[in-house]
């Protein structure tokens, strides 16, 4: 996922960019509101999945930048700021921010909020990925077809029986191909529990999916982070 980090402090931006890069994000750094707005203009690259927006910018207030972003499109915005008062939070959310994180923050929490915002945002028009629209829709990834309502999975038209958790894990990853899901996030969403003591369970289910689908390269392990779906070549 591409992230736009709007932060005028180069030291803060460099540290956060390094953390985000380690978790599979591609980060573009903008130092001012105008620079951020220019970066969001349609171009040749993939659209940004999320904007991390500081409020204390040198050229204009972050609230104004958020309003302009929201008027121009639907790119998710997470305000990341030292302003902890309730009035600022309410104002930011009313302007259209999707979340509000107060500095100093826990990095794990920020990552979780980024993923949460991205999950509930429809893919931008023209973005590569599976088609998922009506309740009867499918996720199609090369030879693999996932029917969400019927929980039916097929490879080259041949149905592959999966357990309930295997299907939930595959569907979670397949909804956002190419996006790295952290182990903690997967355990939380699929098993509805914490990471402690369940890491081996996740590894077993990933191995089982690779074997049953006979597509070992479909689910890629991102060392030290988690897993992602690799879209098969046509």
């Amino acid at each position: 996922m591409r992230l736009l980090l709007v932060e005028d402090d180069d030291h803060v931006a460099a540290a956060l960019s390094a953390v985000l890069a380690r978790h599979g994000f591609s980060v573009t750094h903008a130092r001012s509101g105008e620079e951020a707005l220019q970066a969001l203009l349609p171009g040749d690259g993939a659209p940004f999945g999320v904007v991390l927006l500081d409020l204390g910018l040198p050229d204009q207030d972050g609230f104004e930048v958020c309003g302009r972003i929201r008027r121009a499109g639907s790119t998710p915005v997470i305000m990341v700021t030292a302003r902890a008062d309730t009035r600022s939070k309410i104002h930011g959310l009313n302007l259209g921010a999707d979340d509000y994180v107060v500095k100093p923050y826990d990095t794990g929490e920020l990552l979780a909020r980024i993923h949460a915002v991205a999950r509930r945002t429809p893919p931008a028009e023209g973005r590569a990925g599976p088609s998922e629209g009506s309740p009867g829709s499918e996720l199609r990834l090369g030879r693999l077809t996932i029917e969400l309502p019927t929980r039916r999975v097929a490879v080259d038209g041949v149905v592959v029986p999966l357990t309930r958790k295997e299907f939930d894990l595959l569907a979670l990853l397949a909804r956002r191909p190419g996006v790295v899901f952290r182990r903690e996030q997967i355990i939380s969403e699929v098993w509805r529990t914490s990471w402690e003591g369940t890491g081996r369970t996740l590894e077993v289910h990933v191995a089982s999916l690779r074997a049953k689908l006979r597509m070992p390269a479909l689910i890629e392990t991102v060392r030290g982070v988690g897993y992602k779906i690799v879209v098969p070549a046509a």
Side-chain angles (χ1 to χ4, degrees), residues 26-40:
S26 174
V27 182
T28 297
H29 176 208
R31 295 172 176 80
S32 67
E34 198 57 42
E35 189 176 340
L37 294 168
Q38 288 297 316
L40 286 166

Side-chain angles (χ1 to χ4, degrees), residues 13-147:
L16 181 54
S17 295
V19 171
L20 293 169
R22 286 199 299 269
H23 285 80
F25 294 102
S26 174
V27 182
T28 297
H29 176 208
R31 295 172 176 80
S32 67
E34 198 57 42
E35 189 176 340
L37 294 168
Q38 288 297 316
L40 286 166
L41 292 175
D44 296 331
F48 289 102
V50 174
V51 177
L52 300 179
L53 176 63
D54 185 30
L55 296 181
L57 301 174
D59 59 338
Q60 54 190 298
D61 192 86
F63 288 131
E64 180 182 349
V65 177
C66 178
R68 293 175 66 181
I69 292 174
R70 189 52 64 241
R71 288 192 294 272
S74 58
T75 305
V77 176
I78 300 178
M79 292 183 172
V80 184
T81 175
R83 301 183 195 178
D85 61 287
T86 302
R87 180 175 296 180
S88 293
K89 293 179 183 179
I90 293 173
H91 183 46
L93 295 171
N94 284 340
L95 282 172
D98 297 85
D99 206 344
Y100 194 105
V101 178
V102 177
K103 300 176 182 178
Y105 49 79
D106 178 83
T107 303
E109 180 183 355
L110 178 62
L111 289 167
R113 289 176 181 268
I114 291 171
H115 283 293
V117 166
R119 282 197 307 275
R120 62 178 182 254
T121 304
E125 184 177 354
R127 182 180 297 168
S131 58
E132 180 181 1
S134 65
S137 64
E138 301 175 336
L139 301 179
R140 295 183 179 179
L141 297 169
R143 300 160 50 210
L144 176 68
T145 302
I146 305 171
E147 296 179 1

Side-chain angles (χ1 to χ4, degrees), residues 73 79 98 124 159 161 169 171 191 193:
M79 292 183 172
D98 297 85
V159 175
L169 171 58
W191 279 268
T193 186

